Amino acid sequence: SSLPRRFLSEVNPSLCVPSEADLPSSPVDVSVAADCLETRSGGSCEAAALPAEVRLAPSSCRGLRRLPGDGLHLRMRLRRPPPSADLVFTLRESLKPQKNYVFYCQSCGDIIVKDRKFLRVLPLPSENWNALVEEWCCHPNPFARSTLHPKHDDCFLGDTFFLLNSGNESHKSKENTRVICKRCKTMLGETISSGTIKYYVTEVIIRPSEGSFSPTPRPQFVQSMVAQCLVELSSAKSTFRFTVKGDNGKTYILIWLLNSDTLLVESLGSSSSHSVSTLFGDIFMPSSGPVRTWNAVKVLYQPCIKSRNKDLADAWENDMGVHPLKFPSETCLELLLILGLSTTSLPPSLRCMNSFQVRNSCY
């Protein structure tokens, strides 16, 4: 049966084509065209096609080799049009003033906030802004006792959360300040004050009131939102190292963003390939057609649960160049599982780099 082909394409794309002919005694003929790549061994032929908008430069092909357990590796130039501006989604563009929105629980679809119109949608400063004021002012900090709380018609946007005035909404747990979904009991956020609620971007889906809600598989949604956070923060703050922390204050993952312009192309071949484990189970498998593409980020990561990588985590904690990302603790564990599944889907030779594990995250 034909196996899925995975192309990890960047400035100088590296292509990996799993091959059934892994025995050294089996000669393999490779044919490269602008729109596809074929491998022939004995009487079998496997073709990995490319989508119409992606083209290869066959004359640039170099570094062809076959690794046991991996398949064929080669490098060549890639040609594709730049992504359209309207396809680049950002968290800060998901909400606009003077429009009505509905907030849904991402896990079960229950309505959390219904028909809210915001007169102001404002970005929050970085979490350590108040401490930095001390460096800017030559007199005592005038904002020392100031807090940023949204009014009823305000929505404040943080790196990984939205701040809303609680109004008549009530999802607060009686035991603590955790905000939970009434239907599925998933943690959605936490209360900041008696009138302010923080909703995490990984736990809610926001749609215009006139729109409709359609569920998204949980692993796909989590990795997409985290990838968007990484892309936005790396662009705005020129930071590429991140700690993923839970609402309990513990560090779960260290992430190093390598690049945000990776193109992931999956060529399925025959229908029998659906039985093969891919990026995240089968949630990214196209419903029809032989090829599908995704924009993706490439990251290195280290797990920190059960005191793993404690020395490195402590060093990153004290490094001003590392940016913290806070999510519910349960979501941090979900993300760690997603990262691990993605790593195991890669060819063995591409799973590690300088003691870090490698992962590609679609968004």
Side-chain angles (χ1 to χ4, degrees):
S1 63
S2 180
L3 296 178
R5 280 80 173 173
R6 188 163 294 110
F7 299 78
L8 303 180
S9 302
E10 302 152 12
V11 178
N12 196 2
S14 175
L15 284 68
C16 180
V17 184
S19 173
E20 294 179 356
D22 273 337
L23 295 178
S25 59
S26 302
V28 178
D29 293 327
V30 180
S31 175
V32 180
D35 59 348
C36 71
L37 183 147
E38 289 185 354
T39 60
R40 296 177 181 271
S41 179
S44 64
C45 176
E46 297 181 0
L50 294 175
E53 69 274 12
V54 179
R55 286 295 178 265
L56 300 175
S59 61
S60 67
C61 179
R62 60 185 177 84
L64 177 62
R65 57 178 178 159
R66 182 173 62 179
L67 298 179
D70 273 17
L72 298 175
H73 287 248
L74 64 154
R75 300 181 72 86
M76 67 180 66
R77 287 197 302 271
L78 170 74
R79 299 189 182 100
R80 65 162 174 157
S84 302
D86 58 350
L87 294 180
V88 182
F89 174 84
T90 64
L91 297 177
R92 301 190 187 282
E93 293 176 352
S94 61
L95 285 170
K96 299 290 185 182
Q98 305 298 334
K99 288 188 177 181
N100 291 336
Y101 291 95
V102 178
F103 285 53
Y104 300 90
C105 170
Q106 196 282 324
S107 297
C108 70
D110 192 28
I111 295 179
I112 306 304
V113 179
K114 185 176 182 179
D115 290 331
R116 286 283 293 271
K117 177 187 287 188
F118 301 109
L119 301 182
R120 299 190 305 171
V121 179
L122 303 173
L124 287 168
S126 59
E127 293 188 6
N128 60 344
W129 71 272
N130 218 339
L132 293 177
V133 173
E134 304 249 344
E135 305 294 330
W136 301 339
C137 297
C138 59
H139 49 79
N141 183 357
F143 308 107
R145 297 184 180 180
S146 299
T147 54
L148 298 176
H149 294 307
K151 298 179 180 179
H152 178 72
D153 298 321
D154 292 342
C155 178
F156 293 169
L157 307 181
D159 293 337
T160 62
F161 59 87
F162 304 93
L163 285 188
L164 302 183
N165 187 285
S166 58
N168 296 325
E169 311 295 337
S170 178
H171 294 269
K172 180 180 176 181
S173 169
K174 294 181 179 179
E175 291 78 15
N176 50 40
T177 60
R178 291 164 61 94
V179 177
I180 62 175
C181 174
K182 292 181 178 179
R183 178 190 290 176
C184 68
K185 308 306 179 184
T186 297
M187 178 183 177
L188 305 173
E190 54 191 297
T191 56
I192 304 302
S193 68
S194 59
T196 303
I197 293 181
K198 172 196 289 186
Y199 290 106
Y200 289 103
V201 297
T202 53
E203 312 308 317
V204 297
I205 292 180
I206 305 171
R207 293 289 184 269
S209 295
E210 64 274 11
S212 58
F213 173 80
S214 56
T216 303
R218 178 68 181 166
Q220 180 180 344
F221 183 81
V222 170
Q223 69 140 1
S224 175
M225 299 309 293
V226 173
Q228 289 173 43
C229 289
L230 298 179
V231 171
E232 289 187 30
L233 289 169
S234 64
S235 176
K237 302 183 179 182
S238 296
T239 182
F240 303 96
R241 290 181 296 160
F242 304 86
T243 57
V244 176
K245 294 176 172 288
D247 61 288
N248 56 6
K250 295 182 179 179
T251 299
Y252 286 81
I253 315 169
L254 308 178
I255 293 181
W256 195 324
L257 177 64
L258 287 184
N259 64 315
S260 56
D261 58 353
T262 294
L263 177 68
L264 181 66
V265 180
E266 192 97 26
S267 177
L268 297 181
S270 68
S271 59
S272 61
S273 65
H274 284 269
S275 64
V276 180
S277 176
T278 56
L279 190 59
F280 294 108
D282 61 354
I283 62 172
F284 283 132
M285 300 289 277
S287 57
S288 62
V291 180
R292 188 173 174 181
T293 64
W294 303 273
N295 292 314
V297 298
K298 178 177 284 187
V299 301
L300 305 179
Y301 71 95
Q302 289 278 25
C304 296
I305 59 174
K306 297 181 179 180
S307 299
R308 294 179 61 183
N309 301 300
K310 185 178 185 304
D311 291 342
L312 182 60
D314 290 343
W316 280 34
E317 184 73 26
N318 298 319
D319 192 328
M320 292 294 292
V322 178
H323 191 84
L325 299 176
K326 183 180 177 182
F327 299 104
S329 301
E330 296 86 347
T331 300
C332 295
L333 293 173
E334 286 182 273
L335 179 60
L336 188 56
L337 176 61
I338 292 171
L339 290 169
L341 290 174
S342 175
T343 298
T344 56
S345 74
L346 293 173
S349 66
L350 301 179
R351 294 176 185 175
C352 295
M353 181 183 295
N354 296 336
S355 78
F356 280 78
Q357 299 180 66
V358 181
R359 183 251 199 271
N360 296 282
S361 179
C362 301
Y363 64 97

